[in-house]
């Protein structure tokens, strides 16, 4: 059971595979900000909204599954860009369903305007909602949406 009586809200920010290369990875699609810069923007936005964000990135599916399990009792919600695992990982989907923490899915690019294989998300059906296509701003919008959701439960 979530205990929202203590502040600030704690949010786990999960970045999936290849997002460690942001800044130099296909900048025409993903923008020029590095992951560290995006994390700093998230921390600043969180501070404005009385929330503390805890970012982590992994290229490994099992590490991300473990992080979701460990989020139970530690965080109020999860902001997740699962990268390519969005389109392949039943395990990540099941982990989010298992811990039953509110999760918001974000993508830098608009996955529906890209290749067909990116149009399906395994995360979407267990997320509160999804934000896709606004570059780094997707993360900030996603954080705002998650905090709004948590504060209005
Ligand atoms: C992404 C979109 C995915 O299709 C891709 O595999 C990524 C990044 C995005 O943020 O736009 O790694 O999640």
């Amino acid at each position: 059971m979530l205990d929202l009586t203590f502040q600030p809200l704690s949010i786990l920010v999960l970045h999936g595979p290849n997002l460690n290369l942001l800044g130099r990875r296909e900048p025409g699609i993903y923008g020029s900000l590095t992951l560290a810069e995006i994390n700093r923007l998230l921390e600043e936005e969180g501070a404005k909204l009385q929330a503390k964000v805890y970012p982590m990135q992994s290229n490994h599916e099992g590490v991300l599954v473990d992080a979701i399990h460990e989020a139970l009792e530690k965080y109020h919600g999860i902001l997740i860009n699962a990268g390519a695992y969005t389109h392949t990982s039943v395990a990540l989907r099941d982990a989010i369903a298992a811990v039953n923490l509110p999760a918001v899915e974000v993508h830098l690019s608009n996955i529906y305007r890209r290749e067909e294989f990116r149009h399906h998300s395994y995360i979407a059906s267990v997320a509160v909602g999804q934000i896709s296509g606004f570059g780094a701003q997707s993360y900030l919008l996603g954080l705002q949406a998650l905090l709004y959701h948590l504060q209005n439960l």
Side-chain angles (χ1 to χ4, degrees):
M1 191 63 188
L2 275 180
D3 180 5
L4 295 177
T5 54
F6 60 90
Q7 294 283 340
L9 291 174
S10 297
I11 305 299
L12 175 64
V13 178
L14 278 183
H15 305 281
N18 301 308
L19 294 168
N20 53 310
L21 295 181
L22 285 180
R24 74 173 87 153
R25 174 191 181 200
E26 300 184 86
I29 297 175
Y30 299 118
S32 56
L33 293 190
T34 65
L35 193 61
E37 288 168 334
I38 290 175
N39 285 337
R40 186 153 31 78
L41 292 174
L42 280 168
E43 277 156 12
E44 285 166 10
E45 186 68 18
K48 279 190 217 155
L49 300 170
Q50 276 84 53
K52 191 119 184 54
V53 306
Y54 297 87
M56 83 154 263
Q57 187 274 333
S58 178
N59 294 320
H60 304 279
E61 189 174 14
V63 173
L64 294 165
V65 169
D66 286 343
I68 293 167
H69 292 179
E70 285 158 21
L72 256 188
E73 316 299 340
K74 261 170 94 182
Y75 301 105
H76 296 95
I78 301 173
L79 185 68
I80 181 165
N81 182 352
Y85 290 142
T86 303
H87 318 297
T88 62
S89 181
V90 177
L92 278 181
R93 179 240 173 259
D94 284 356
I96 293 168
V99 298
N100 200 24
L101 284 173
V104 169
E105 174 186 2
V106 298
H107 299 284
L108 295 146
S109 62
N110 180 347
I111 57 175
Y112 303 101
R113 291 183 68 172
R114 300 186 61 196
E115 303 94 326
E116 190 82 27
F117 66 84
R118 296 187 203 274
H119 295 183
H120 177 259
S121 165
Y122 280 101
I123 311 296
S125 63
V126 290
V128 178
Q130 183 198 71
I131 295 172
S132 175
F134 296 94
Q137 196 66 27
S138 289
Y139 280 97
L140 301 181
L141 293 168
L143 179 63
Q144 289 165 11
L146 179 56
L147 294 174
Y148 178 84
H149 175 80
L150 287 167
Q151 281 153 357
N152 289 281
L153 277 179

